[in-house]
Amino acid sequence: MHFLDPILRPKSIAVVGASRQPNTIGWQILDNLLRQGFHGPVYPVNPKAAAIHSIPAYPSVKEIPGPVDLAVIVVPKEHVSAVADDCIEAGVQGIVVISAGFREVGGEGIAREQELVDKLRKAGVRMVGPNCLGIINNDPAIAMNATFAPAYPPFGPVGFVSQSGAMGASILDYAESLGIGISMFVSSGNKADVSGNDLLDYWEHDDNTQMVLMYLESFGNPAKFVEAGRRITRRKPVCVVKSGRTGAGARAAASHTGALAGTELATDALIAQAGAIRAHSVNHLFDLAMAFGNQPLPAGNNVAIVTNAGGPGIIAADACESAGLSVVPLSPETEAKLRARLPEEASVKNPVDLIASATPENYEFALNCVFEDPKIDAAIAAFVPPLGIQTKDVAAAIVRVNERHPAKPLLAVLMGRQGLPAGLAELHESRIPAYIFPESAARALAAMWRFRQHIDRPEGRHVSFDVDDAAVTRIIDATLASGQTKLSEPDALRALEAYGIPTVPWVFVPSAGASSLAARAAAAAGDLGLPVVVKVVSPEVVHKTEVGGVALNLKSKAEVERAVRDMVKRVEAAVADGADPAHREPAKGRTASVIDGVLIQEMAKGGTETIVGLTRLPRVGALIMFGLGGIYVEVMRDVVLRLAPLVDTDAEEMIREVKMFPLLAGARGDVPRDLAALADTVLRISQLAERHPRIVELDINPLLALPSGVRAVDGRIALAR
Ligand code: ADP
Ligand code: MG
């Protein structure tokens, strides 16, 4: 038995706070339970009434003669705790707290919620809410509507969890009119105990539920969301509307990863990593639900479009192509079949244009023809009502085609002329996803195709690398012991090397020494091999280039010597001025000692600059970033984030998802970069994040992607104090 069974499949229900007063919440819940015909006994509890809705009422849960699985609590907030005590005493298994006035109001509401949670945890009683709309299980064998929403969505394949009660109520309302059948609905409210993640787990094994819709305002436990999402989306699609930001807030960060982590990118990351589909509006969520909830997934991405006007055909074709679908030519046989029966003016090439005189019979014939073409995986039927043709008849024709070809998805677009087109309702009732705009249909079909690819891909695997963790621990300990929270550049490079991430060959030349720094640097450069790069090493400098602390492509020892001398002067002046914008509090008065030394690095040639980073957010975890370096990260924010720990497919996806991926894959005849080595580096950073929680920020910027292998050029690592 699952811990949610007593809540979602109860055998008996008590409504505590049931009311005789119509149009109160305590009245509506009881009314809904009875109206829906809940299969077991319902016990109203109200000390002031002998009977409610003609059913005997009880003064307390403890007085109910039979066992109670679920108590729905609708009493004022001050009484919830006492009612919970009664429930525990009476052996109630689960509760739904509708009452508001808890965490959401702040102040003492927070304490009130905590007290309730603690009490229930101790007793092993699980809770949905508080501050919620209630729950529904539409399974005919249960028939439970324990909400106070005046909506009765039909039974169907969609599990729906909403963090907002009001959004939940209106979505349930629309669901019915769009033909979206609901298996279960849970208004999760404050999620003080049962969360959306628990429901993902539960619905994974519920045969009635074939897809999940989530309306979220926050991620309570992002890591668990990713984990639970990953499992259920192996078989069932999960579509998420997430409003608001991640809530974690980016720390004021010196790293690019940190600056980007608090943005929408992080939400995108969590949803993508869970294998879920992000809907950008409630409207979009419905578009997806109609398609996923009613039609099979396409076997491929070849789409046929059948229309009665050129414009919608072209718009639909463009929308399909840009969403990753393919409007392929039909086979010659299909074209010939169409040619033989359609009017001369019709275009029999995909998109098939039946022209304005198209009859319902023309639609039925043409759609059957394209579905009989083995190349075609899915079809979109678009219809603009001309004079004299009944949209409803075309809708009926579309329904007949769908019945004949149930294995291939069929989506309809009915464009209106005066308000909503007629026929839409008929299609929805017949479980044909029907849209008003071609783009919506294309977008929904493309999401189905992506999900098909997602479930066909092998599951990601955790990879673990044999690395020198002890060396990293030593570096971290030594850095913290010296009072610093930022690793020196040589130490950062050493830490990367300990993790098997190759660096461009380098040596560190310290300031302190017998001869001049410049002379020793020149000698070291000679040993390393010219040309070289010289970089300042100083705890005062974060972005070296911005203070003139990087000199590239030095070809002789003399050049190195001069570069070091100039650099020391420049950097000292800049630090004294506080000119490094990343470092707002320069150590005034410190001059000569601000520079620890210089790093001499081999001048690397011919790599593509990428960036790999990590940032640790409170309550979220470590986000790993991959992107293209230079202007792509700074200006275009062309980066992809994922939550650690990553699996191998996460790393591959991250690399493929950056917009400038063609630059890595070998655009315009260029040699492709070593994508496997990039993925390997990303996974090693994920392992570093997992095993060394004291690291809170890390940027490798740039990590050079070469045709063979990668090289870290610049490493920045910050620690928690
Ligand atoms: P910072 O980011 O602190 O300004 P970097 O070490 O990243 O300093 O250097 C700045 C830029 O100089 C790099 O993004 C890269 O384009 C270039 N660069 C740095 N080191 C090398 C090197 N060894 N070989 C080639 N180019 C380099
Ligand atoms: Mg850099």
Side-chain angles (χ1 to χ4, degrees):
M1 197 173 100
H2 191 279
F3 71 83
L4 282 173
D5 283 342
I7 294 179
L8 286 166
R9 301 176 198 283
K11 293 194 183 61
S12 54
I13 302 177
V15 179
V16 187
S19 168
R20 296 171 66 96
Q21 192 78 46
N23 300 320
T24 59
I25 294 175
W27 178 87
Q28 186 73 47
I29 290 184
L30 189 62
D31 188 59
N32 277 359
L33 279 168
L34 302 180
R35 194 186 287 245
Q36 191 86 359
F38 175 62
H39 76 123
V42 175
Y43 305 106
V45 174
N46 183 332
K48 295 196 201 97
I52 302 173
H53 261 313
S54 320
I55 314 178
Y58 299 86
S60 148
V61 181
K62 293 188 288 184
E63 314 282 323
I64 295 172
V68 174
D69 277 356
L70 171 66
V72 181
I73 300 178
V74 211
V75 299
K77 57 182 185 291
E78 306 78 34
H79 304 308
V80 172
S81 179
V83 169
D85 287 332
D86 290 352
C87 288
I88 292 166
E89 223 184 301
V92 171
Q93 306 276 303
I95 66 176
V96 173
V97 178
I98 306 284
S99 318
F102 291 83
R103 184 169 299 276
E104 80 282 5
V105 299
E108 61 182 39
I110 298 176
R112 190 177 294 124
E113 184 166 306
Q114 194 56 51
E115 191 247 350
L116 181 61
V117 169
D118 291 345
K119 170 183 299 185
L120 294 170
R121 286 256 160 86
K122 224 161 101 198
V125 174
R126 303 304 299 256
M127 166 176 67
V128 169
N131 182 31
C132 77
L133 178 73
I135 57 175
I136 292 176
N137 186 345
N138 264 339
D139 184 334
I142 312 268
M144 168 181 69
N145 184 335
T147 70
F148 60 93
Y152 309 95
F155 179 48
V158 178
F160 171 35
V161 52
S162 177
Q163 198 172 338
S164 153
M167 284 306 298
S170 44
I171 290 176
L172 289 179
D173 215 20
Y174 287 128
E176 180 162 12
S177 62
L178 293 177
I180 298 169
I182 301 285
S183 58
M184 295 188 212
F185 164 73
V186 173
S187 162
S188 57
N190 292 3
K191 306 193 287 193
D193 179 28
V194 173
S195 70
N197 299 335
D198 296 319
L199 291 157
L200 288 179
D201 281 342
Y202 192 66
W203 288 334
E204 183 188 350
H205 305 289
D206 176 49
D207 290 338
N208 286 341
T209 303
Q210 292 307 319
M211 83 167 295
V212 175
L213 300 184
M214 306 183 93
Y215 178 87
L216 294 182
E217 285 164 355
S218 64
F219 290 104
N221 183 341
K224 185 147 184 259
F225 170 74
V226 168
E227 193 193 301
R230 235 179 207 150
R231 273 198 314 271
I232 186 171
T233 60
R234 290 313 301 165
R235 293 189 297 127
K236 304 179 182 182
V238 174
C239 301
V240 181
V241 188
K242 163 74 177 61
S243 62
R245 299 228 150 183
T246 40
R251 76 181 71 237
S255 72
H256 288 298
T257 318
L260 294 172
T263 66
E264 281 300 291
L265 285 173
T267 301
D268 282 338
L270 295 177
I271 294 174
Q273 205 168 358
I277 299 157
R278 183 166 192 186
H280 293 282
S281 61
V282 174
N283 197 24
H284 187 197
L285 188 73
F286 284 135
D287 287 351
L288 295 170
M290 268 197 284
F292 278 101
N294 292 322
Q295 292 287 311
L297 296 177
N301 68 337
N302 291 340
V303 186
I305 296 164
V306 176
T307 170
N308 64 344
I314 293 167
I315 294 175
D318 283 351
C320 283
E321 294 282 349
S322 62
L325 301 169
S326 202
V327 184
V328 286
L330 302 169
S331 71
E333 299 77 49
T334 308
E335 287 187 5
K337 263 201 287 183
L338 290 168
R339 184 79 286 158
R341 286 260 307 265
L342 293 178
E344 211 177 308
E345 301 78 14
S347 164
V348 298
K349 298 204 179 306
N350 196 9
V352 176
D353 183 357
L354 304 172
I355 65 171
S357 59
T359 60
E361 294 70 35
N362 290 153
Y363 264 96
E364 187 168 354
F365 169 70
L367 285 167
N368 279 329
C369 280
V370 298
F371 271 150
E372 278 150 24
D373 189 329
K375 248 199 338 196
I376 296 300
D377 302 304
I380 294 177
F383 181 73
V384 184
L387 291 176
I389 306 273
Q390 284 292 322
T391 307
K392 282 186 180 183
D393 297 336
V394 173
I398 292 172
V399 172
R400 285 194 297 276
V401 172
N402 188 230
E403 280 163 4
R404 194 152 146 190
H405 299 279
K408 292 187 179 184
L410 173 55
L411 287 74
V413 178
L414 295 187
M415 301 187 75
R417 277 196 320 185
Q418 290 174 331
L420 284 184
L424 215 51
E426 283 81 354
L427 287 173
H428 291 152
E429 268 162 38
S430 309
R431 309 193 57 176
I432 311 278
Y435 304 89
I436 300 172
F437 299 108
E439 292 91 336
S440 310
R443 195 164 58 161
L445 186 56
M448 290 174 97
W449 165 235
R450 278 196 302 277
F451 186 66
R452 159 107 258 165
Q453 291 170 287
H454 170 79
I455 54 179
D456 287 348
R457 255 195 302 271
E459 218 169 323
R461 281 175 318 115
H462 281 276
V463 224
S464 103
F465 300 92
D466 191 12
V467 296
D468 190 352
D469 282 306
V472 176
T473 302
R474 272 196 306 276
I475 293 170
I476 293 174
D477 287 342
T479 304
L480 291 173
S482 72
Q484 300 287 333
T485 53
K486 183 179 147 270
L487 265 58
S488 72
E489 183 123 1
D491 277 346
L493 293 174
R494 283 184 198 112
L496 296 178
E497 286 162 5
Y499 251 68
I501 297 168
T503 57
V504 172
W506 59 274
V507 285
F508 173 61
V509 184
S511 294
S515 52
S516 85
L517 174 62
R520 281 178 294 119
D527 294 344
L528 189 69
L530 294 157
V532 295
V533 174
V534 171
K535 300 179 185 181
V536 69
V537 175
S538 161
E540 304 291 327
V541 173
V542 180
H543 296 295
K544 297 178 289 296
T545 307
E546 286 168 21
V547 292
V550 177
L552 298 173
N553 206 17
L554 305 172
K555 298 195 184 68
S556 67
K557 287 196 197 178
E559 271 187 62
V560 172
E561 209 170 327
R562 201 172 329 119
V564 171
R565 232 180 270 121
D566 293 350
M567 183 179 293
V568 168
K569 274 198 217 106
R570 253 195 329 264
V571 172
E572 280 176 356
V575 170
D577 281 359
D580 181 354
H583 193 91
R584 308 248 169 234
E585 292 161 42
K588 286 268 188 276
R590 285 181 67 188
T591 45
S593 61
V594 301
I595 291 167
D596 288 349
V598 290
L599 197 74
I600 313 288
Q601 236 178 14
E602 196 179 285
M603 177 70 200
K605 296 237 160 68
T608 303
E609 294 197 0
T610 67
I611 170 168
V612 174
L614 94 79
T615 189
R616 204 176 290 279
L617 296 180
R619 295 194 308 283
V620 175
L623 286 169
I624 309 292
M625 176 176 87
F626 175 77
L628 284 197
I631 59 155
Y632 296 108
V633 57
E634 273 148 35
V635 184
M636 324 265 296
R637 293 191 157 197
D638 187 11
V639 300
V640 179
L641 300 171
R642 289 285 188 275
L643 189 66
L646 303 181
V647 292
D648 54 0
T649 48
D650 287 329
E652 287 153 23
E653 266 177 42
M654 286 171 79
I655 293 164
R656 277 169 204 284
E657 267 178 34
V658 293
K659 295 184 198 73
M660 290 294 144
F661 174 70
L663 289 184
L664 296 171
R668 287 183 291 138
D670 199 3
V671 210
R673 308 299 158 190
D674 192 336
L675 302 179
L678 282 173
D680 178 273
T681 307
V682 169
L683 291 171
R684 283 172 193 269
I685 294 300
S686 167
Q687 180 173 325
L688 182 66
E690 249 186 299
R691 295 204 187 160
H692 296 277
R694 289 180 295 175
I695 298 180
V696 292
E697 298 273 346
L698 176 151
D699 262 353
I700 310 177
N701 182 21
L703 174 77
L704 291 181
L706 303 167
S708 168
V710 292
R711 295 278 180 283
V713 169
D714 180 26
R716 214 186 321 277
I717 297 179
L719 307 172
R721 206 172 273 285

